[in-house]
Amino acid sequence: MIHLFHRRITFSLALTIGFLTLIIIGSILLSLPFANKAGQTTNYSDALFTATSAVCVTGLSTVTTATQWSFFGQLIIMILVEVGGLGFMTFAVMLSNFAHQRMSLGARMLTGEALNLNRPSQLRIVQLIIKLSLVVQLIGAILLFIALKPRLGIGKGIWYSIFHSVTAYCNAGFDLFGPSLEQFNNNPYFLTIIMLLIGAGSFGFLVWRDLLTYHIHHKLTLHTRLVLTVGIIILILSIIGFLISEQNLKQFDGNLNAVQRFFNTLFLAVTPRTAGFASIPYTKLSAAGIVITIILMFIGGAPGSTAGGVKTSTIGILFLQSLATFTGKEASFSHRRFTRNNINRALTLFCSAILLIIFATLLLTMTQPLSPHNGIIEAVFEAVSAFGTVGLTLGLTPHLNLFGKIIIIALMFIGRVGIYTFMYSIFKSHPAKQSYRYPEEEIIIG
């Protein structure tokens, strides 16, 4: 009986259960009185929402992080962000290495599923993930401390530096300042460090491995070349878009000089890639700026990173496939063709994400107290932000009722675990081979 039970537990289901377990443990700890700054028991729905947001490295919160949680509560959030961002299986591998124990094949396959790795041989990247993440976050904390020490002192400056280095690198978006990083919009140095940490976390660990070993192999994989190309193009286009739509932010603060306004524009282009920090109130952006932000949140970062969204590789493959369809050629990049499985998975992921967001937006508009004019924008923005594990909001999050919290929790969870992993964990208890094929027949398209 036990053997049959284990056979029914797929890697996708095990991964889903692992994230759920982590969220439940975090929510229980956050609901304890000493996790609350006032020493009171936190409403469990708020604790569950915050724990889900932390594990799913989102940053949305129904309460203010800086004023709601004690040092213990903030520490729990940071740990949940770290474990959720790097993946709990990464820490399982680390503990296994410390104990000098060999991982079972099942554990290796589960780790590969968690990190979006195609082959078990790529598991050697886990050590790189741990070392790189710790080094980058330590350097980030030191650089942030330089800016925060004069403002906060040594003790508080150290804690705030560590906390924000972790949440920025893990693309979580939690902050201890409130509201977000708006008080630093005149500090290009601070914004630059946060952006570099966000970029480091959203690159993807496979990309980092290729870049760090380039001096040895003198080549980059197709995955790395595609991710970097698409990422750079999206960044340039988003900067141009915000420069045009927001007129270089002159309407926000007349005290900001041209250099400061440019860095805030750059921050607007970087943070929707699932980071969730804000140096400018998003409620004051133009309609075009909101649309650009929604698009960037939907795209997200690179696969195998701390970022969410449908991923840059998905957008790159679909764009090249569409271009190839119009020109009557095969989709290719850098003299390589994509596999049919790659194209099908990208298309399925894109369509599933669109349908999920539409359905969630419909539920939010039906159940939440939204304004008749801007309500639809707020609902779409909130849904995309949750699914892309971004953490930005137009102000709807603190006003969500219980049903709204459940919707956003579900979106954050699916966005972090992944649509494929989530759906496989529900419908695919064990692989089944189809022993027949139906005849083909064309239908009219367009």
Side-chain angles (χ1 to χ4, degrees), residues 167-217:
T167 56
Y169 177 77
C170 291
N171 283 212
F174 284 96
D175 73 276
L176 300 179
F177 297 104
S180 198
L181 305 181
E182 292 178 17
Q183 60 181 282
F184 295 96
N185 61 10
N186 61 349
N187 191 333
Y189 171 82
F190 187 87
L191 296 181
T192 299
I193 301 305
I194 295 293
M195 285 189 286
L196 290 175
L197 287 168
I198 293 169
S202 63
F203 257 18
F205 301 115
L206 289 174
V207 174
W208 272 116
R209 184 197 61 181
D210 281 358
L211 294 176
L212 294 175
T213 59
Y214 181 78
H215 66 285
I216 299 175
H217 305 292

Side-chain angles (χ1 to χ4, degrees), residues 59-354:
L60 288 174
S61 182
T62 53
V63 296
T64 303
T65 306
T67 57
Q68 175 73 17
W69 308 111
S70 64
F71 173 77
F72 174 80
Q74 294 171 6
L75 180 63
I76 293 299
I77 290 173
M78 189 186 75
I79 293 173
L80 292 176
V81 166
E82 187 77 87
V83 177
L86 303 186
F88 66 90
M89 284 308 299
T90 301
F91 288 89
V93 173
M94 180 177 67
L95 294 175
S96 177
N97 289 339
F98 280 145
H100 302 288
Q101 294 181 350
R102 185 177 178 84
M103 291 183 66
S104 65
L105 178 61
R108 290 168 62 86
M109 295 296 290
L110 179 58
T111 305
E113 181 87 22
L115 300 175
N116 293 321
L117 303 179
N118 295 325
R119 299 182 299 275
S121 61
Q122 293 177 326
L123 278 180
R124 287 173 294 183
I125 198 177
V126 172
Q127 292 186 358
L128 172 65
I129 293 175
I130 298 169
K131 293 178 182 177
L132 176 69
S133 300
L134 292 178
V135 170
V136 170
Q137 290 175 87
L138 177 60
I139 295 174
I142 293 173
L143 295 176
L144 289 176
F145 179 72
I146 295 174
L148 295 179
K149 179 182 175 295
R151 186 185 291 245
L152 302 175
I154 296 179
K156 198 172 182 181
I158 292 175
W159 168 238
Y160 274 50
S161 300
I162 295 173
F163 185 93
H164 291 92
S165 181
V166 171
T167 56
Y169 177 77
C170 291
N171 283 212
F174 284 96
D175 73 276
L176 300 179
F177 297 104
S180 198
L181 305 181
E182 292 178 17
Q183 60 181 282
F184 295 96
N185 61 10
N186 61 349
N187 191 333
Y189 171 82
F190 187 87
L191 296 181
T192 299
I193 301 305
I194 295 293
M195 285 189 286
L196 290 175
L197 287 168
I198 293 169
S202 63
F203 257 18
F205 301 115
L206 289 174
V207 174
W208 272 116
R209 184 197 61 181
D210 281 358
L211 294 176
L212 294 175
T213 59
Y214 181 78
H215 66 285
I216 299 175
H217 305 292
H218 299 290
K219 66 176 183 179
L220 298 175
T221 63
L222 180 66
H223 166 81
T224 296
R225 293 197 297 269
L226 179 65
V227 165
L228 290 178
T229 302
V230 175
I232 292 172
I233 291 174
I234 292 175
L235 178 61
I236 294 174
L237 291 178
S238 58
I239 292 173
I240 295 173
F242 280 119
L243 285 174
I244 295 174
S245 68
E246 309 311 315
Q247 299 177 10
N248 204 13
L249 305 180
K250 291 181 180 179
Q251 71 273 29
F252 289 105
D253 192 339
N255 296 322
L256 297 179
N257 58 40
V259 174
Q260 292 169 340
R261 290 199 299 269
F262 175 78
F263 273 91
N264 280 273
T265 302
L266 185 60
F267 200 81
L268 281 174
V270 171
T271 193
R273 305 289 294 280
T274 81
F277 292 109
S279 63
I280 296 294
Y282 274 82
T283 52
K284 295 183 180 180
L285 286 186
S286 65
I290 295 296
V291 172
I292 294 173
T293 302
I294 290 174
I295 294 172
L296 292 176
M297 292 193 300
F298 180 76
I299 294 174
S305 70
T306 60
V310 296
K311 306 298 190 296
T312 51
S313 58
T314 300
I315 298 301
I317 289 175
L318 291 180
F319 176 80
L320 292 171
Q321 176 60 35
S322 300
L323 191 63
T325 300
F326 290 133
T327 58
K329 301 177 182 178
E330 284 189 297
S332 63
F333 179 78
S334 192
H335 307 293
R336 292 291 187 273
R337 289 181 293 119
F338 301 116
T339 64
R340 179 53 54 183
N341 181 57
N342 264 158
I343 297 172
N344 288 340
R345 285 178 67 91
L347 184 60
T348 302
L349 175 59
F350 185 86
C351 293
S352 300
I354 290 290

